[in-house]
Amino acid sequence: MPGTPCGDSLWPVSTIARDNADVPNGDVSWWWRSLGGTPTPRAPLAGDLDVDVAIVGGGYTGLWAAYYLKRAQPDLRVVVLEQRFAGFGASGRNGGWLTNTVTGGRERYAETHGRDAAIAQQRALNDTVDEVIAVAAREGIDADIVKGGEYGVARTPAQLARLRAAVAAEQAWPHTDIEWMDAAAAASRIRIAGALGAAWHPHCARVHPAKLVRGLADAVERLGVPIYEETPVREIAPGRAITDRGTVRATHVLRATEGFTADLRGEHRTWLPMNSSMIVTEPLPASFWGAVGWDGYETLGDFAHVYMYAQRTADDRIAFGGRGVPYRYGSRVDTDGTTQTRTIASLTRLLRDFFPDAAATPIAHAWAGVLGVPRDWAAAVMHDRATGLGWAGGYVGTGVTATNLAGRTLADLVLERDTELTRLPWVGHRARRWEVEPLRWTAVNAIYAAYRMADRVEASGSSDRTAWPAHVADVVAGRH
């Protein structure tokens, strides 16, 4: 029998919601909780300041940009401005996938810049996975990194058809290195209930997100970059970043705010803050891992429309994520990572569908965060020499790797270097702005309602064709 990712289940949502009513929820993320809780904030900005480069946002993008700028030019005056603490946003809450995904797809770049440019983008992201691992080793950052590759599973006939098509499409490009597995081969790798087939590629590593961002922030400080926390930036303009605690005047101002970009003046419709939620189990016993396998610490995803993502943590838990309420009206963002009780229940049900032997293991924590989604779902890097303004983001959930590539690229652009990175096709890419409310809220929620409907239809196993609501959702979303 195929799996039931969005259909009926042995564990009704209402029952699971009751069982999980007391699950710790929020506190930014379990990743931070596992490190003893959120860190004591660094000192805030103490007044007006003059620098060479002001970076707005203390997540991966901003910290990587600061890291590479100072390594390239140690006398450069660089500061990072962060509204809460370094790693408060998606950098400290994500699923821990250091993977090579080209956000928006290689085909987009092939159409606009040619096939060779699209290949260059893929090769750069492959190399970036190894670059992050190398920097972590050089800087003494223990982030539980294991390069076990990325494993995607299909649990319905329609998912299997999409998986086969995706593998064929990937194999038509160099540097993808993807492998197809039938049901027997898939079960020998990771035993997932109802798995009909799977695919794997080597260009992905599991990481502990908060350990990585904490270690990166420390490395940036060692290079002499002040990180001013509890310093919200309200407006960015040529030559200055205006905060609640003073104005930072700078030759270059780089925006690295990702899912929180909508909070900046003039940027409300630039990127949509999409919500994603996670749960993590208590540690699972050796008997579970002996039965299930997962010895390679691959990251795990599926081919549902409302897809899941997971990893086996260093202390033998399953961290399991997916969409809850996809978007809050008016591009509102959260303050502490709290997710909805029903979302905890639906993720718990799906985890148990994947791994029935984990049904008795309690959920230890739940949380949520926002990621930046451009209108065309494609990440980009930009720097205007005339104004000194630059930005990077719109990673749509693939930022653990892309942020490093973006940070290196921003450093080269600021330093006016003509490099392979500055010639990549995502540099200078622009997307149109999101629609005004209530169109934005209506469209996003309708899109995900249609995707959920498609998953329910496909869960019956009656057809290997993608259900029609998903095609409608793709068109509305601009992903067709």
Side-chain angles (χ1 to χ4, degrees), residues 209-222:
K211 286 184 178 181
L212 179 59
V213 74
R214 181 182 66 176
L216 180 56
D218 291 343
V220 164
E221 284 189 312
R222 288 195 298 270

Side-chain angles (χ1 to χ4, degrees), residues 264-451:
L264 287 167
R265 185 173 299 171
E267 304 293 347
H268 192 65
R269 292 166 52 203
T270 300
W271 293 331
L272 185 139
M274 185 78 75
N275 295 293
S276 198
S277 297
M278 294 197 73
I279 57 174
V280 66
T281 67
E282 295 290 355
L284 288 145
S287 58
F288 171 84
W289 299 110
V292 168
W294 209 348
D295 299 325
Y297 292 89
E298 303 91 339
T299 60
L300 170 64
D302 73 352
F303 276 75
H305 300 291
V306 185
Y307 53 83
M308 52 69 63
Y309 52 94
Q311 66 154 276
R312 176 181 176 179
T313 68
D315 59 349
D316 288 337
R317 304 168 188 260
I318 298 176
F320 195 98
R323 292 283 182 268
V325 174
Y327 171 71
R328 294 181 176 92
Y329 189 88
S331 291
R332 296 197 311 274
V333 296
D334 71 282
T335 57
D336 66 354
T338 300
T339 193
Q340 302 80 23
T341 302
R342 187 169 182 83
T343 298
I344 301 172
S346 64
L347 289 174
T348 302
R349 182 182 67 171
L350 186 55
L351 185 152
R352 292 176 178 177
D353 284 341
F354 270 62
F355 301 108
D357 289 346
T361 303
I363 302 302
H365 200 97
W367 69 98
V370 292
L371 48 97
V373 180
R375 189 62 183 87
D376 64 356
W377 303 73
V381 180
M382 175 73 69
H383 182 262
D384 184 342
R385 288 187 183 181
T387 63
L389 296 178
W391 50 262
Y395 307 116
V396 197
T398 65
V400 182
T401 305
T403 49
N404 176 278
L405 182 59
R408 285 185 284 142
T409 304
L410 281 171
D412 283 350
L413 289 168
V414 166
L415 298 174
E416 299 187 6
R417 294 175 167 180
D418 180 14
T419 66
E420 290 184 0
L421 299 187
T422 63
R423 293 191 293 271
L424 289 173
W426 72 335
V427 176
H429 175 75
R430 290 185 181 273
R432 65 185 177 89
R433 291 161 66 82
W434 281 90
E435 290 79 3
V436 298
E437 297 291 19
L439 295 177
R440 188 161 70 244
W441 182 89
T442 301
V444 173
N445 283 280
I447 287 166
Y448 276 91
Y451 282 142

Side-chain angles (χ1 to χ4, degrees), residues 3-7 97 151-164 166 197 300-309 320-323 347 349-350 353-354 447-448 450-459 465-467 469-470 473-474 479:
T4 55
C6 292
W97 286 37
Y151 182 91
V153 64
R155 300 176 64 237
T156 70
Q159 288 184 25
L160 185 64
R162 286 196 295 276
L163 172 59
R164 287 183 182 277
L300 170 64
D302 73 352
F303 276 75
H305 300 291
V306 185
Y307 53 83
M308 52 69 63
Y309 52 94
F320 195 98
R323 292 283 182 268
L347 289 174
R349 182 182 67 171
L350 186 55
D353 284 341
F354 270 62
I447 287 166
Y448 276 91
Y451 282 142
R452 289 189 178 94
M453 182 185 298
D455 282 328
R456 287 194 296 271
V457 171
E458 293 175 9
R465 293 187 177 184
T466 292
D474 285 344
R479 303 168 76 178

Side-chain angles (χ1 to χ4, degrees), residues 217-276:
D218 291 343
V220 164
E221 284 189 312
R222 288 195 298 270
L223 289 171
V225 176
I227 301 173
Y228 296 110
E229 298 184 336
E230 298 289 343
T231 304
V233 174
R234 303 303 180 188
E235 183 179 357
I236 293 172
R240 64 188 186 278
I242 302 167
T243 85
D244 291 348
R245 300 179 180 274
T247 297
V248 178
R249 293 176 291 271
T251 307
H252 305 272
V253 182
L254 306 181
R255 190 186 82 225
T257 47
E258 185 58 359
F260 292 85
T261 300
D263 287 344
L264 287 167
R265 185 173 299 171
E267 304 293 347
H268 192 65
R269 292 166 52 203
T270 300
W271 293 331
L272 185 139
M274 185 78 75
N275 295 293
S276 198

